[in-house]
């Protein structure tokens, strides 16, 4: 199909090496004088959106790009799909450089953007499908079969003859997916595909993507800032923070990496004193391994490095006579939420659980 | 063949999409007729008091006015509805969909929509053209001679509009740059002989309006100068190549392939 | 006025002034954000200059009521008047009625018409420096056309331009009220615009019209929206003719003011009946 050397590993689909993207942004000043100066001699500053990102993806993987707004997820996705030229570094999709957008390459990929639509607003969704089929050169029989299959999988068969403007947001996104998949792509780029959808529609889109991946073996790369999308769908997560790839691995590894400490919660018979805290913390013996998190009346909580856990427990049990002891691993959602807030430096576990999903593992009974 | 099939689908869907607003068409036709009437009347006013355009009878000038209306129709049906969307594409980021389709992106943004709005102008334009030709004794116009300057005129019109509309990629906030061009092209409603020398210079060399209506008009009347006849496809080709190159440049900028 | 409420009229005027000033400020801030568009809109109005060329060229050959220099000044005045009387209220109303943005406006204690009017006034002020510099540029390129009208003429011109703007605004606002009933109000305005350009004298000074056409045109609202101020600026129009034109202008202002108010009320009834 192409003259590029095949990738080292035949199963490798995406190769990104040292991918960087710098945007030049004009600097504006305030006021008319500044506006005039800006007009005459523009000043620019360089904004590094993606900085030296390297990874490879195997055929059939479901990859989630995770990061705060403006972290560089969408820029990365655009470079992978050939929409943006990397400032530095290279991308190969199936051994092909995506940027020239060769027709053979474009026929293999699909891009779905949650906040943008390609469906013709005033017409039934079917019209868009037919148009795309013509553009991609799909014959009538294949077209009919694909629409049939996809419409069944997405449960939208009854919606295809209604004008798009009459559909709900969720129904519209399902039709967007159908329109994007009519040519049977084997690489899917999805940028925030569940943006703004209600919970049911989010689940439906996720389930569809999983089934599409399982039945066709297509590779799925998606960005999202709904953690549920990532945890429910992706077997591998790439975390991008301030343009850099700071994590590449599966969900469990992500939890270990960003929430390596367990939470130790002690309920004491009397109000907690500073001396109690200092004692459990090991009076400096344990170094940074134990950190005091919060005190609330008779309850005190610590973040404990797993290596220090037994020693700390012994200290607490022997001297403080706690009424109740709990050791938990903070839920992965919390650690992800921290990443999305742009807070990756600290290792202190989040103390407020804002998500209903249960913790992935718990060494003892979770807190009541 | 594939392109023809896609274009027919493009246009069918755009007609279907406008079907709900079809009632507007009656008013558009009326407004277009009124507009043309006013233009014809103002042309007639020029010929009062012994005035008029040197070398052009009133009926011959009607031919130019008819061509102008024809081009106005092309603008209303093809250029304005399609190229006006480039700004939207850039602003809303839907240009991504266009770029990732295995079909030339300039073709997609230029011919996606065929709107019925300009058809009335085309219709009235043809009526005026035929009437002007018949009344000025050119019942059998030199169609063969005119085909080259006429199609060059259409290509030139497209290229000029496309060049201006594509600036949207740089200045997203400015959506009405094409209005300035539309205003300048208004000069095409009269033959070039109507204007002082300085104007003619501008309309031949800077905003080549002369090649849109006057040169094809002269060709239809069988009296175009050979130099203008030869120049018109050349001017159109240069403008088209420039438009094509400018689009390439705009897309390189959009995708970050150029500074 | 009455002894019981000696300050009520003054208070109302002051309150009205405060509202107008507030609306103007908001409108002006908005318009300056779109300066680049304003400049392009101003440049897009090149038709008067095109016709200026064609008419001065024609007048060197035939016999017309105005001299070539008068024609240059006339079309320059047309350009200025067009800059100062541009109206787009129909599209604003269309957007509000069909885009569902009217309801929140109705809850405010100011009639939306004032907001539209002040938007237009603010746009005018924002556009003024640019339009003025175009006129200066024109005189620099063509100094022979330069002239200084008398203070009296200039004052009359400005008053007439303001009145012309008001009438154009009222006519279009009246047509805009049709948005409550039809989605094609803008097509009707297109037709209105053609009449305005032709009978208003933007294509050719009314002086060139055949007497029969002229006699009819004089009684329509259009000549007073463009031809009247432009022609007054050039001078040489008999006072009786100006007076009659002003009377027609005032008459049409009253007619369209009443019509627009009646249609507004009927439109609102329909709007609320539709449950919008």
């Amino acid at each position: 199909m192409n003259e590029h050397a095949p990738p080292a590993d035949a199963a490798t689909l995406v190769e990104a090496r040292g991918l960087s993207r710098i945007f030049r942004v004009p600097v504006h000043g305030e006021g008319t004088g500044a506006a005039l100066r800006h007009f005459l001699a523009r000043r620019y500053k360089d904004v590094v959106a993606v900085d030296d990102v390297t990874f490879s993806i195997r055929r059939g993987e479901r990859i989630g790009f995770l990061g705060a707004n403006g972290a560089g997820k969408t820029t990365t996705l655009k470079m992978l799909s050939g929409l943006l030229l990397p400032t530095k570094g290279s991308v190969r999709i199936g051994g092909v450089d995506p940027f020239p957008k060769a027709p053979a390459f474009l026929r293999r990929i699909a891009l779905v953007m949650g906040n943008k639509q390609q469906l013709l607003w005033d017409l039934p969704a079917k019209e868009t499908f037919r148009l795309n089929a013509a553009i991609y050169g799909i014959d009538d029989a294949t077209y009919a079969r694909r629409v049939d299959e996809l419409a069944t999988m997405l449960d939208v068969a009854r919606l295809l003859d209604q004008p798009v403007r009459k559909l709900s947001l969720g129904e519209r996104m399902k039709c967007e997916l159908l329109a994007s998949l009519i040519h049977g792509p084997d690489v899917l780029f999805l940028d925030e595909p569940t943006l703004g959808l209600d919970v049911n529609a989010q689940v439906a889109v996720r389930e569809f993507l999983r089934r599409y991946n399982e039945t066709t073996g297509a590779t799925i790369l998606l960005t999202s800032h709904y953690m549920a999308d990532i945890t429910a769908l992706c077997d591998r997560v790439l975390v991008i923070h301030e343009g850099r790839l700071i994590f590449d691995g599966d969900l469990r590894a992500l939890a270990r990496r960003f929430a390596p400490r367990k939470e130790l919660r002690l309920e004491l018979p009397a109000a907690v004193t500073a001396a109690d805290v200092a004692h459990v913390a090991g009076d400096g013996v344990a170094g940074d391994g134990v950190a005091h998190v919060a005190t609330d009346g008779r309850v005190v909580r610590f973040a404990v490095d797993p290596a220090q856990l037994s020693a700390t427990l012994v200290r607490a049990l022997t001297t403080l006579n706690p009424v109740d002891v709990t050791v938990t691993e903070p839920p992965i959602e919390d650690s992800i939420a921290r990443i999305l807030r742009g807070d990756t430096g600290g290792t202190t576990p989040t103390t407020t659980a804002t998500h209903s999903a249960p913790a992935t593992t718990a060494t003892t009974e979770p807190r009541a | 063949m594939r392109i023809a099939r896609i274009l027919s689908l493009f246009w069918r869907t755009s007609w279907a999409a406008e079907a709900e607003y079809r009632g507007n068409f009656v008013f558009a036709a009326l407004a277009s007729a009124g507009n043309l009437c006013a233009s014809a009347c103002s042309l007639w006013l020029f010929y009062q008091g012994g005035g008029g355009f040197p070398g052009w009878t009133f009926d011959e000038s009607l031919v130019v006015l008819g061509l102008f209306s024809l081009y106005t129709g092309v603008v209303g049906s093809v250029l304005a509805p399609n190229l006006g969307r480039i700004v939207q594409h850039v602003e809303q980021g839907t240009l991504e969909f266009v770029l990732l389709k295995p079909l030339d992106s300039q073709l997609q943004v230029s011919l996606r929509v065929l709107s019925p709005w300009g058809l009335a102008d085309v219709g009235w334009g043809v009526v005026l053209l035929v009437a002007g030709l018949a009344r000025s004794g050119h019942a059998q116009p030199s169609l063969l001679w005119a085909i080259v300057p006429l199609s060059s005129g259409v290509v030139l019109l497209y290229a000029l509009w496309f060049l201006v509309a594509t600036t949207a990629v740089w200045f997203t906030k400015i959506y009405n740059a094409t209005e300035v061009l539309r205003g300048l092209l208004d000069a095409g409603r009269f033959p070039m002989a109507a204007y002082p020398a300085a104007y003619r210079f501008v309309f031949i060399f800077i905003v080549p309006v002369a090649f849109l209506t006057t040169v094809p008009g002269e060709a239809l009347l069988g009296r175009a100068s050979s130099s203008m006849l030869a120049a018109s496809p050349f001017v159109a080709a240069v403008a088209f190549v420039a438009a094509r190159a400018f689009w390439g440049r705009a897309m390189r900028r959009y995708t970050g392939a150029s500074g | 006025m009455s002894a019981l409420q000696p300050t009520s009229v003054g208070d109302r005027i002051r309150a009205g002034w405060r509202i107008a000033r507030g609306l103007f400020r908001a409108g002006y801030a908005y318009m300056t954000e779109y300066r680049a568009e304003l400049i392009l809109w101003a440049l897009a109005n090149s038709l008067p200059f095109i016709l200026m060329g064609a008419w001065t060229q024609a007048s060197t050959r035939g016999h017309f009521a105005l001299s070539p220099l008068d024609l240059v000044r006339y079309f320059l005045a047309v350009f200025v008047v067009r800059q100062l009387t541009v109206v787009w209220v129909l599209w604003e109303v269309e957007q509000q009625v069909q885009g569902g943005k009217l309801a929140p406006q109705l809850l405010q204690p100011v009639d939306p018409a004032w907001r539209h009017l002040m938007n237009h006034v603010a746009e005018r002020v924002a556009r003024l420096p640019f339009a003025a510099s175009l006129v200066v540029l024109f005189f620099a390129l063509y100094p022979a056309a330069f002239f200084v009208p008398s203070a009296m003429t200039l004052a009359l011109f400005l008053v007439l331009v303001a009145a012309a703007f008001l009438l154009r605004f009222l006519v279009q606002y009246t047509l805009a009220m049709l948005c409550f009933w039809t989605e094609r109000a803008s097509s009707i305005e297109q037709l209105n615009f053609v009449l305005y350009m032709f009978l208003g004298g933007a294509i050719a000074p009314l002086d060139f019209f055949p007497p029969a056409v002229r006699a009819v045109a004089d009684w329509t609202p259009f000549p007073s929206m463009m031809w009247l101020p432009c022609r007054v600026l050039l001078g040489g129009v008999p006072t009786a003719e100006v007076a009659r034109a002003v009377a027609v202008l005032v008459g049409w202002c009253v007619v369209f003011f009443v019509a627009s108010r009646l249609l507004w009320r009927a439109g609102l009834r329909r709007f609320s009946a539709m449950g919008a």
Side-chain angles (χ1 to χ4, degrees), chain C residues 15 28 70 74 85 91-92 118-119 126 132 154 156 167 178 188 203 208 215-216 232 249 253 255 260 267:
Chain C
Y28 186 74
D70 275 345
Y74 177 81
T85 61
W91 285 270
E92 275 185 12
M118 291 319 285
N119 273 349
L154 196 63
L156 184 58
L167 179 56
L178 300 180
I188 299 171
I203 308 287
F208 296 176
V216 176
V232 163
L249 169 66
C253 277
V255 167
S260 68

Side-chain angles (χ1 to χ4, degrees), chain B residues 16-32:
Chain B
E18 293 227 31
E20 314 207 1
Y21 313 105
R22 209 172 270 162
N24 278 346
F25 186 73
V26 178
F27 285 96
L30 275 175
S32 154

Side-chain angles (χ1 to χ4, degrees), chain B residues 43-242:
Chain B
L43 191 61
W44 180 76
L45 288 177
F46 276 99
Y47 282 85
Q48 298 308 103
F53 311 137
W56 291 77
T57 65
F58 174 71
D59 294 316
E60 288 167 348
S61 296
L62 273 187
V63 173
V64 169
L65 191 58
L67 285 170
F68 177 75
S69 179
L70 214 70
Y71 285 134
T72 308
V74 172
V75 168
S77 270
V78 184
L79 303 183
N82 280 298
L83 304 181
R85 276 181 200 204
I86 294 179
V87 182
Q88 271 181 27
H89 274 317
V90 173
E91 223 170 41
Q92 298 171 2
T94 44
L95 199 56
E96 268 87 332
F97 290 126
V98 172
L99 288 172
L100 288 189
K101 294 260 156 67
L103 183 66
D104 186 80
S105 57
Q106 185 176 354
L107 180 86
Q108 284 186 70
V109 296
S110 302
L111 293 174
R112 174 67 190 78
V113 171
L114 184 68
S115 152
W117 298 122
L119 291 185
D121 285 318
V122 172
W124 296 121
V126 170
V127 169
L128 217 56
L129 192 66
V130 171
L133 284 171
R135 283 167 49 105
S136 56
H138 290 81
Q140 270 115 34
S142 334
L143 266 182
L144 212 62
W145 271 113
I147 206 91
V148 171
L150 262 175
S151 39
S152 302
V154 174
V155 171
L156 176 61
L157 185 71
Y158 163 75
L160 290 176
W161 261 79
F162 191 82
L163 279 166
V164 175
T166 302
T167 56
V169 175
W170 281 268
F171 312 106
T172 25
K173 257 189 78 187
I174 298 172
Y175 60 90
N176 57 349
T178 48
E179 290 302 314
V180 179
L181 180 69
R182 207 200 279 259
L184 288 172
L185 295 185
D186 259 341
R189 62 175 75 218
F190 304 129
M192 283 303 117
Y195 298 104
Y199 279 58
R200 277 188 297 230
F201 179 84
V202 171
F203 292 147
I204 290 174
F205 294 105
I206 298 174
V207 191
V209 181
F211 293 99
L212 294 182
T213 54
T214 306
V215 176
E218 284 174 335
L220 278 170
L221 294 166
R223 56 165 209 223
S225 75
S226 48
S227 60
M228 280 305 216
L229 271 183
S232 88
F234 178 72
V235 170
V238 168
F240 185 82
V241 169

